[in-house]
Amino acid sequence: MTDRLYAKHMWRISLTILLFCCTTLHAQQPSGYTIEQLLQQLDAADDAETESWESIYDVVCDIAENPINLNTATKEDLQRLPFLTNQQIEDIQAYLYQYGDMQSMGELAMISSLDEVRMELLRHCSYISTTNAQGFPSWSTIAKYGKHNATLTGKIPFYKRKGDDNGYLGYPYRHSLRYSYGYGDYLKVGLTAAQDAGEPFFKGGNGMGYDHYSYYLVIRKLGRLKSLTLGHYKLRTGMGLVANNDIAFGKTMLLPTLLRPTATLRPYASRSSANYLQGAAATVEIVKHLDVTPFVSYRYIDATLRTDIPDAIATIVKSGYHRTPTEMEKKHNASMTNAGMHMEWKNNGFHLGATGLYTHLSMPLKPKTQQDYRRYSASGDSFWNASMDYGYTSNRLTVSGETAINDQHAIATANAASLRLSGAWQVTALQRFYSYRYYSLLANSFSDGGSVQNESGLYVGAEWRPSRRLAVSAYADVAHFPWKKYQADQSSNAWDANLAASYTTKPLTLSLHYRYRTKQKNNQQKTALTDDATHRLRLAAAWHHGAWSTLTQGYMAINDYKQSSRGWMASQQVAWQHRGTLQIAAHIAWFHTDDYASRIYSFERGPMYEFYFPAFYGEGIRYSLLAKATLSAKVSLLARMATTNYFDRDHISSGLQQIDHSSMTDLELQLRLRL
């Protein structure tokens, strides 16, 4: 009875907040799709792409806070936008060279390679100004005209997990604070503080308050200093075979980013407490056409220590959770030092670069190699990697690649080419070979197996875009794993094929996405390999006219492994906005799957910086209501309530996460200030 009264009381509070959002007075704000809606329209993510989409969403939101002036943007500035292809970057620069400064965003329609979605994304991430660039502004100008942005986000659960009463060190509320101060493309300073549900706050190992803090200072375009980053940052060199903790490359829209292997530095402002560097990094133009990017990092990491070997690391933990005494014991119990440099020469479309990386751990990494698939995992306390990256870019052809070696003298190489056959056709091919003895603790590149190790493969893709209305793309990727992998006790293969099509005739957009993936795994008797095959199909119809927009979607998943599994989902989203001052969005989905193997992934709209692509399995219904009120040009408030109601169970999840009900409801609140 107490739980029911508590839930009833919280429902009243949440409905009051939603009504407040719906009745707040008005101010002007640009209309159109949100960033996450536009990214979702570019392609459909799935279980293999989720990390990629989280990365790109965070990057695009960060740039949108301090957009780029298209008229003064360099090629490096445009390459910061991960949704643009090399062809689109070349076409934007060619248009500016031929016709001079743009006078309005409407001129983007004159660039034939830009589709409607990317033009809308550019409206979020860039602006048009005809003011002549005067070089790096004075510090007094930065102090006077810089912009403050602050975002406070919180999540309130209307249920209790088993660990909330006994097990978790903190309360069940998730919240974060994100602040930045910036002036155009030139300077940005920021701080992020984040707390996950169950983590202690100002106690129990978190005496400084939040469980995770991220801070940074970025300076760009200061003479020969192209970029300087202090604090927490992300880095990518080449194609990621040596160093990449930036964007995780998928097989769809992020592939064009992989094909431009220039060094990339970004501030790290995520709420996750893993996968970042801490220290200093800079890109300096030594002489014309030659850039050098030195970097150094020292940070504490989470690790599971060996119980049978003193002062040795079994695994590096990247979950970022510190909710229980066991998880808290792993927090910052080891450290990692990274130092390296990337040199890059570019001229007339040609590119040649070199990367060196040294990594040292405070105690040796000694994974449990009794399991054969871990036999060639990284081991030791010091590691080095080196690579050469190379390429050529023109308005029709892009060729790029990187070849790397590690301290075991093992090789990794990835090489790609993209050719625009005509205004409508573009083909891409990518080959990779990653030795089973190769490893780098910072590596992240194109792969099917999830790591730059123990894989060789070939990817071939094509895109046909005869007009802005119609786009068809397809790819096939085959991979071979010469050494054993998890759930595969001998060398194995994988196959991945994808077909996507979309047709837009305002105000309607129709799209289809089909993907077939198969990977060899052990059979039930573990005597041979068998195929784990999954079909996924998504059909969608999006309609946008005036203040109203809808999105109707149907999903299907079929998995055949040790047994057959089927699943489907039907969802409907409806959104309405009033002159950019009030937005209301409702979402409902009904799903039915046999088990987790046929789970369905579905995009949901949420607060800024919060990416939602949850998986659903079993039988149930999911519904949510979002309301956003723009109180003025400086203040906006968002509230979102979401419920998942299962029909096939009396409890949700297990262990400390178990909820002793068949439904779960959360309320999210976000306050954004721009000064």
Side-chain angles (χ1 to χ4, degrees):
M1 180 65 70
T2 302
D3 287 345
R4 291 180 180 178
L5 290 174
Y6 173 78
K8 184 177 181 181
H9 179 64
M10 293 305 293
W11 263 103
R12 289 177 177 174
I13 294 175
S14 59
L15 288 174
T16 301
I17 294 171
L18 286 172
L19 288 173
F20 171 76
C21 289
C22 295
T23 56
T24 310
L25 294 178
H26 313 309
Q28 288 298 317
Q29 177 176 307
S31 61
Y33 289 110
T34 63
I35 290 174
E36 65 266 43
Q37 287 174 312
L38 292 167
L39 291 176
Q40 196 269 344
Q41 287 185 45
L42 283 177
D43 209 342
D46 65 10
D47 56 331
E49 302 286 293
T50 301
E51 184 181 355
S52 304
W53 283 79
E54 290 174 348
S55 301
I56 191 175
Y57 179 59
D58 188 69
V59 168
V60 174
C61 286
D62 184 66
I63 296 174
E65 290 289 351
N66 291 278
I68 297 168
N69 182 1
L70 285 181
N71 285 332
T72 60
T74 64
K75 186 174 183 178
E76 288 82 0
D77 291 332
L78 295 176
Q79 287 176 340
R80 291 168 51 203
L81 299 170
F83 52 82
L84 290 180
T85 66
N86 283 334
Q87 175 194 335
Q88 290 163 345
I89 292 173
E90 293 286 340
D91 289 350
I92 291 172
Q93 291 202 303
Y95 181 90
L96 292 169
Y97 178 79
Q98 183 173 358
Y99 299 106
D101 287 352
M102 295 184 188
Q103 302 300 311
S104 71
M105 281 290 186
E107 291 189 54
L108 292 174
M110 303 296 293
I111 302 174
S112 59
S113 60
L114 288 175
D115 53 78
E116 295 287 344
V117 175
R118 286 179 172 85
M119 283 193 290
E120 284 295 322
L121 282 168
L122 281 171
R123 291 186 176 96
H124 281 277
C125 297
S126 62
Y127 66 98
I128 298 296
S129 175
T130 57
T131 304
N132 293 328
Q134 302 295 326
F136 193 83
S138 66
W139 295 106
S140 59
T141 299
I142 292 174
K144 184 176 181 180
Y145 297 106
K147 296 181 180 180
H148 299 267
N149 290 278
T151 303
L152 292 86
T153 306
K155 185 175 183 179
I156 304 171
F158 295 167
Y159 48 82
K160 282 189 177 182
R161 300 179 181 89
K162 186 173 290 186
D164 294 334
D165 290 327
N166 184 20
Y168 291 149
L169 298 173
Y171 49 64
Y173 309 112
R174 180 177 186 257
H175 54 93
S176 64
L177 166 65
R178 188 165 181 150
Y179 166 80
S180 67
Y181 177 84
Y183 182 86
D185 301 337
Y186 300 101
L187 179 140
K188 187 174 183 180
V189 60
L191 171 70
T192 299
Q195 190 83 12
D196 285 314
E199 294 177 336
F201 190 57
F202 280 109
K203 63 177 183 179
N206 287 338
M208 297 297 292
Y210 282 92
D211 181 72
H212 169 64
Y213 291 95
S214 182
Y215 49 88
Y216 59 86
L217 167 66
V218 179
I219 297 174
R220 294 190 179 96
K221 303 180 181 179
L222 179 58
R224 291 185 179 274
L225 182 63
K226 289 188 172 182
S227 176
L228 170 66
T229 304
L230 302 175
H232 293 188
Y233 63 94
K234 299 179 180 180
L235 167 74
R236 177 171 74 89
T237 65
M239 299 184 76
L241 303 187
V242 171
N244 177 26
N245 67 338
D246 190 16
I247 292 176
F249 298 110
K251 296 183 179 180
T252 51
M253 61 166 292
L254 293 180
L255 188 58
T257 306
L258 181 64
L259 294 178
R260 44 181 191 255
T262 186
T264 301
L265 289 174
R266 303 184 195 274
Y268 183 79
S270 174
R271 56 172 292 115
S272 171
S273 60
N275 200 32
Y276 64 89
L277 297 176
Q278 178 178 273
T283 298
V284 182
E285 184 182 34
I286 301 300
V287 295
K288 189 175 182 181
H289 307 307
L290 179 63
D291 294 344
V292 175
T293 303
F295 56 92
V296 63
S297 169
Y298 175 83
R299 57 166 297 223
Y300 289 106
I301 60 174
D302 295 359
T304 301
L305 303 184
R306 293 286 296 262
T307 57
D308 54 338
I309 302 176
D311 298 326
I313 300 172
T315 58
I316 297 174
V317 180
K318 296 184 179 181
S319 67
Y321 290 126
H322 306 115
R323 302 162 299 182
T324 67
T326 300
E327 291 175 346
M328 188 60 73
E329 287 176 2
K330 300 176 182 179
K331 182 178 181 179
H332 296 173
N333 58 357
S335 64
M336 177 187 292
T337 302
N338 301 102
M341 179 180 292
H342 178 76
M343 297 186 65
E344 181 178 46
W345 173 83
K346 292 184 293 185
N347 190 25
N348 293 327
F350 290 94
H351 159 268
L352 181 65
T355 302
L357 170 67
Y358 173 76
T359 300
H360 178 74
L361 299 174
S362 60
M363 58 183 73
L365 179 62
K366 293 186 178 295
K368 296 182 178 180
T369 55
Q370 296 90 336
Q371 298 166 307
D372 281 345
Y373 70 91
R374 290 180 173 172
R375 179 174 298 181
Y376 295 101
S377 298
S379 179
D381 59 4
S382 296
F383 313 90
W384 64 260
N385 299 80
S387 74
M388 296 287 294
D389 56 271
Y390 34 83
Y392 171 76
T393 300
S394 68
N395 63 342
R396 285 187 175 272
L397 175 66
T398 298
V399 179
S400 59
E402 182 178 18
T403 299
I405 188 172
N406 71 344
D407 48 48
Q408 300 297 311
H409 301 98
I411 299 295
T413 183
N415 302 275
S418 181
L419 176 64
R420 182 170 53 159
L421 299 175
S422 65
W425 280 95
Q426 182 146 347
V427 295
T428 302
L430 185 147
Q431 166 272 336
R432 73 270 192 194
F433 168 79
Y434 309 143
S435 168
Y436 58 82
R437 294 188 298 112
Y438 181 85
Y439 49 74
S440 170
L441 297 186
L442 295 186
N444 187 0
S445 189
F446 186 98
S447 70
D448 188 271
S451 65
V452 183
Q453 186 181 35
N454 186 33
E455 179 174 333
S456 60
L458 178 65
Y459 167 101
V460 178
E463 182 181 39
W464 179 51
R465 192 180 293 272
S467 68
R468 281 203 173 103
R469 291 186 175 184
L470 178 63
V472 180
S473 63
Y475 72 74
D477 182 54
V478 59
H480 174 67
F481 312 105
W483 186 249
K484 303 174 184 179
K485 293 183 67 67
Y486 177 66
Q487 293 186 332
D489 292 339
Q490 54 186 289
S491 61
S492 58
N493 300 310
W495 170 265
D496 184 5
N498 180 87
L499 172 66
S502 64
Y503 180 77
T504 301
T505 173
K506 290 184 177 180
L508 182 66
T509 297
L510 303 175
S511 63
L512 173 149
H513 186 115
Y514 169 74
R515 188 170 190 177
Y516 172 73
R517 287 173 59 87
T518 180
K519 182 174 291 189
Q520 291 181 320
K521 294 182 179 180
N522 295 328
N523 60 14
Q524 288 185 327
Q525 295 77 27
K526 296 186 178 181
T527 57
L529 297 181
T530 187
D531 287 341
D532 180 355
T534 302
H535 302 262
R536 294 191 182 277
L537 175 67
R538 182 182 77 105
L539 300 173
W543 179 82
H544 181 79
H545 181 71
W548 290 92
S549 63
T550 66
L551 177 61
T552 305
Q553 298 184 97
Y555 304 82
M556 182 190 72
I558 300 175
N559 175 264
D560 290 303
Y561 178 32
K562 296 178 181 179
Q563 60 184 18
S564 181
S565 178
R566 304 289 186 269
W568 59 267
M569 172 187 278
S571 71
Q572 180 68 55
Q573 297 182 39
V574 179
W576 172 84
Q577 59 179 341
H578 178 66
R579 298 177 182 176
T581 62
L582 177 64
Q583 300 178 40
I584 299 175
H587 170 261
I588 186 169
W590 185 16
F591 58 92
H592 188 293
T593 79
D594 293 339
D595 50 37
Y596 184 75
S598 57
R599 60 196 178 277
I600 301 291
Y601 291 82
S602 175
F603 163 80
E604 292 184 17
R605 184 177 171 184
M608 193 170 187
Y609 302 114
E610 300 288 334
F611 184 86
Y612 292 96
F613 210 83
F616 299 98
Y617 67 97
E619 184 179 1
I621 189 170
R622 169 78 171 180
Y623 48 93
S624 64
L625 177 64
L626 179 148
K628 179 181 178 182
T630 303
L631 313 184
S632 69
K634 299 179 178 180
V635 183
S636 63
L637 178 65
L638 179 145
R640 176 180 181 268
M641 177 170 285
T643 297
T644 306
N645 188 16
Y646 291 94
F647 306 147
D648 61 344
R649 65 195 73 174
D650 58 7
H651 69 275
I652 301 172
S653 195
S654 60
L656 296 180
Q657 288 287 94
Q658 181 170 316
I659 302 168
D660 292 329
H661 297 283
S662 61
S663 66
M664 54 185 293
T665 299
D666 295 280
L667 172 67
E668 292 176 279
L669 302 172
Q670 186 174 85
L671 173 66
R672 300 194 64 215
L673 305 173
R674 306 174 188 84
L675 305 175

